């Protein structure tokens, strides 16, 4: 038996919640550097302060993915309880964040906000796969990308719009402007309402219905998972732990930035978790969350492994952009690196417009350019082309000094952003077992957040050593990362034949 084919309103309702999620995410991306600097943070410390975002994703998404695969709360369903819980927490965090008066409090609130966003966001990826037939996966993720773009436009541009209507865009030193405060409050309301729309207008398939669909595949049993883990050796765990200890020794020996100790701790923690899962399996106790997550990570499908490298470099560039665009635009286009100046705040507002522009382009490209290009050259080649276009957009920051001209760069970046949000997930959803969509989507997020952690811990050190006080060169690193991602995508072209699962235009 096939899943029913979803029409326009079905596709709309399934992904509408992402509109609010992305409003919250866009407000965070466009304004956190501005908030941190307003509260006294130095430019070189921004990557470390941003580390909350990727670290919470790394911890939360695999856990939520594993749990949502195994949840069924009657009428509330499998994924929707997590949508709702995350939305409530995120709305509260968005309400409190702009009331920060000291730096450490804003950092704590970023941790809470990002954890809440991840609780809502992670199951949405699996939700598309749950609700749609395989031949609708591509259009499902394209519609989701449309809402991501539309939400990001609203979230990014709102401070600028408020400024145009006369809301105060400056504040005394150490205080957050009203344009930012009101934007966060409106964003919290939008987050909750849009997620509630999806919760109320969709009905998830019961476990019995899911098992009866033609594309359902049996999940690994606890016995087979335990056997697979028990057969693994401890050498890999030892290697990860040794790598972490090596990083810590290098940091201590050459007095590098202390944030690099976090990278060392994560390597050691991963090795220890891997060893613990193996030990539990050998003791016959492999049916637990840790064992399932480690076992599924080790058993990733081949396409997922190859896409992991693409994601690594794709998201490295994006995190560089989110951290550094405000300092770059304020310093080079508006002539100020002083967060208390009106010129800097004007630059911060213009960054909101730029972010709105690339997200608007992404929303349009998701339902126009990507379907047209994918039908002609296939999903994998489409992604390569879009990444190279985006790399050119980043490179243009090195030569452009007119704020208006940067809109052209954002068009290129928006095209790549649309593809990053749609193509890898469409490819992945059609090559994963239905019963493990949640955990695999959560594990796939590791390759989104690990590069962000590396950027957060390493980029500040690199810039301080090579280009002190010159943040514009971070955009060169971002351009190079997308070129590498496009090259890595060539390994996937033979695995995804032209015309196999290409993005389809909505009907």
């Amino acid at each position: 038996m096939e899943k029913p084919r979803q029409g326009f309103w079905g596709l709309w309702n399934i992904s509408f919640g992402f509109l609010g999620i992305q409003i919250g995410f866009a407000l965070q991306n466009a304004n956190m550097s501005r908030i941190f600097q307003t509260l006294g943070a130095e430019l070189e410390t921004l990557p470390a302060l941003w580390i909350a975002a990727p670290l919470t994703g790394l911890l939360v998404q695999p856990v939520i993915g594993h749990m949502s695969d195994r949840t069924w709360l009657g009428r509330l369903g499998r994924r929707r309880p997590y949508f709702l819980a995350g939305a409530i927490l995120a709305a509260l965090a968005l309400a409190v964040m702009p009331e920060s008066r000291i730096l450490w409090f804003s950092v704590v609130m970023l941790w809470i906000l990002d954890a809440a966003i991840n609780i809502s966001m992670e199951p949405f990826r699996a939700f598309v796969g749950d609700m749609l037939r395989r031949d609708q996966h591509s259009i499902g993720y394209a519609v989701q990308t449309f809402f991501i773009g539309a939400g990001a436009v609203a979230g990014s541009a709102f401070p600028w719009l408020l400024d145009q209507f006369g809301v105060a865009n400056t504040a005394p030193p150490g205080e957050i402007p009203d344009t930012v405060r009101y934007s966060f409050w409106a964003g919290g309301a939008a987050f909750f309402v849009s997620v509630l729309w999806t919760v109320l207008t969709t009905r998830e398939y019961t476990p019995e219905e899911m098992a009866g669909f033609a594309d359902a595949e049996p999940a690994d049993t606890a016995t087979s998972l335990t056997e697979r883990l028990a057969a693994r050796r401890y050498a890999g765990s030892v290697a990860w732990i040794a790598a972490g200890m090596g990083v810590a020794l290098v940091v201590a020996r050459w007095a590098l930035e202390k944030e690099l100790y976090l990278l060392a701790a994560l390597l050691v923690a991963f090795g220890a978790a891997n060893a613990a899962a193996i030990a539990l399996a050998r003791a016959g106790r492999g049916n637990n969350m840790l064992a399932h997550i480690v076992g599924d990570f080790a058993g990733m499908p081949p396409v997922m492994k190859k896409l992991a490298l693409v994601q690594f470099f794709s998201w490295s560039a994006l995190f560089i952009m989110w951290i550094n665009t405000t300092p770059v635009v304020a310093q080079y286009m508006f002539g100020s690196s002083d967060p208390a100046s009106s010129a800097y705040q004007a630059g911060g507002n213009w960054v909101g417009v730029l972010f709105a522009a690339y997200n608007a382009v992404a929303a349009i490209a998701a339902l126009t350019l990507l379907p047209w290009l994918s039908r002609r050259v296939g999903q994998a080649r489409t992604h390569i082309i879009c990444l190279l276009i985006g790399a050119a957009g980043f490179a243009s920051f090195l030569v452009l000094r007119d704020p208006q001209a940067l809109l052209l760069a954002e068009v290129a970046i928006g095209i790549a952003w649309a593809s990053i949000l749609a193509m890898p997930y469409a490819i992945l959803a059609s090559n994963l077992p239905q019963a493990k969509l949640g955990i695999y989507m959560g594990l796939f997020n590791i390759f989104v957040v690990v590069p962000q952690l590396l950027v957060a811990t390493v980029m500040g050190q690199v810039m301080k050593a090579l280009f002190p006080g010159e943040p514009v060169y971070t955009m060169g690193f971002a351009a190079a990362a997308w070129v590498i991602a496009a090259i890595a995508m060539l390994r996937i072209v033979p695995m995804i034949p032209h015309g196999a699962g290409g993005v389809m235009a909505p009907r």
Side-chain angles (χ1 to χ4, degrees):
M1 181 176 66
E2 293 281 355
K3 293 175 185 174
R5 188 173 186 84
Q6 295 286 346
F8 173 81
W9 286 112
L11 294 169
W12 177 282
N13 293 336
I14 286 168
S15 290
F16 186 77
F18 236 116
L19 177 71
I21 291 173
Q22 197 61 31
I23 288 174
F25 196 48
L27 285 167
Q28 171 186 297
N29 288 342
N31 293 284
M32 286 314 302
S33 288
R34 178 182 185 178
I35 290 172
F36 288 152
Q37 288 191 290
T38 297
L39 297 177
E42 299 295 331
L43 177 64
E44 290 78 12
T45 66
L46 289 181
L49 295 175
W50 268 86
I51 207 165
L55 188 57
T56 52
L58 181 66
L59 298 174
V60 169
Q61 291 221 17
V63 172
I64 295 299
H66 170 84
M67 292 172 63
S68 69
D69 280 341
R70 290 159 175 76
T71 295
W72 184 255
L73 296 181
R75 294 181 64 181
L76 197 54
R78 177 182 297 103
R79 316 292 181 186
R80 290 178 298 161
Y82 300 94
F83 301 165
L84 193 56
I88 293 170
L89 289 173
L92 293 173
L94 286 165
V96 174
M97 173 70 80
E99 296 304 305
S100 301
R101 293 294 182 269
I102 50 179
L103 183 60
W104 70 262
F105 183 79
S106 67
V107 174
V108 171
M109 290 311 303
L110 177 60
W111 280 80
I112 295 172
L113 174 59
D114 208 81
I117 290 174
N118 276 285
I119 290 170
S120 278
M121 182 170 60
E122 197 285 332
F124 260 100
R125 297 292 190 190
F127 192 53
V128 173
D130 290 344
M131 301 296 291
L132 300 181
R133 300 150 45 124
R134 288 185 188 273
D135 62 0
Q136 285 196 297
H137 282 170
S138 291
I139 187 58
Y141 287 107
V143 171
Q144 193 173 90
T145 299
F146 169 79
F147 281 119
I148 290 172
V153 169
S156 298
F158 204 55
W160 178 83
L161 287 172
L162 290 176
D163 184 29
Q164 303 307 301
F165 283 101
V167 177
N169 191 48
T170 58
E175 294 188 17
I176 297 168
D178 285 345
T179 51
V180 176
R181 293 170 65 231
Y182 296 164
S183 296
F184 272 63
W185 295 344
F191 196 125
F192 178 75
V193 170
S194 64
V195 169
L196 187 63
W197 177 281
T198 289
V199 170
L200 295 177
T201 60
T202 57
R203 184 191 73 83
E204 296 185 70
Y205 298 115
T206 66
E208 294 75 22
E209 288 174 319
M210 292 292 285
F213 291 133
D215 60 355
E217 298 179 32
D220 290 341
T221 64
T223 300
S224 64
L225 176 68
T226 300
E227 291 174 348
R228 188 167 70 231
L229 279 171
R232 298 185 69 190
R233 298 180 179 180
Y234 286 107
S237 303
V238 172
W240 286 107
I241 293 172
M245 295 176 66
V247 170
L249 290 174
V250 169
V251 174
R253 174 65 179 81
W254 279 280
L256 301 179
E257 295 291 335
K258 60 182 179 299
E259 288 81 7
L260 290 171
Y261 282 117
L262 177 59
L263 179 60
L266 288 171
L267 292 171
V268 171
F270 180 78
N274 192 63
I278 294 172
L280 287 170
R282 291 183 176 181
R285 295 157 53 198
N287 190 21
N288 56 75
M289 183 184 297
L290 176 64
H292 277 279
I293 291 174
V294 172
D296 289 329
F297 185 81
M300 290 187 297
V303 170
M304 185 172 170
K305 292 179 181 178
K306 294 182 185 296
L307 279 171
L309 186 62
V310 179
Q311 290 291 85
F312 179 90
F313 287 104
S314 298
W315 285 84
S316 295
L318 289 166
F319 203 58
I320 289 171
M321 175 183 72
W322 292 330
I323 292 176
N324 294 287
T325 302
T326 294
V328 168
V329 170
Q331 180 173 331
Y332 294 90
M333 287 73 176
F334 286 79
S336 177
S337 56
D338 178 10
S341 69
S342 60
Y344 179 94
Q345 294 298 333
N349 278 358
W350 187 246
V351 170
V353 174
L354 295 177
F355 281 16
Y358 87 74
N359 281 291
V361 170
I364 296 169
L367 297 181
T368 55
L369 176 64
L370 295 189
W372 176 82
L373 193 58
S374 180
R375 283 194 298 268
R376 283 156 180 77
V377 301
Q379 288 177 329
R381 291 182 178 87
T382 294
H383 198 39
I384 292 170
I385 293 169
C386 291
L387 287 169
L388 293 176
I389 292 172
F394 278 133
S396 68
F397 272 78
L398 299 174
V399 296
L400 296 176
R401 292 297 176 265
D402 179 359
Q404 301 287 338
L406 288 180
L407 290 170
L408 295 175
E410 299 302 325
V411 170
I413 292 169
I415 290 170
W417 177 230
S419 189
I420 288 169
L421 291 173
M423 290 300 169
Y425 294 99
I427 293 170
L428 198 61
S430 297
N431 289 275
L432 292 177
Q434 182 72 52
K436 290 204 168 188
L437 277 181
I439 181 59
Y440 276 130
M441 288 295 182
L443 290 172
F444 195 52
N445 190 62
I446 289 175
F447 307 108
V448 169
V449 299
V450 166
Q452 296 178 48
L453 286 170
L454 288 176
V455 169
T457 54
V458 174
M459 182 57 69
Q461 184 75 24
V462 171
M463 293 303 298
K464 186 176 181 180
L466 299 180
F467 307 108
E470 297 289 344
V472 72
Y473 291 106
T474 59
M475 298 302 172
F477 284 101
W482 272 359
V483 170
I484 296 171
I487 294 171
M489 195 70 193
L490 291 171
R491 301 166 64 222
I492 300 171
V493 171
M495 304 179 72
I496 310 297
H498 182 111
V503 175
M504 300 179 297
R507 297 182 179 180

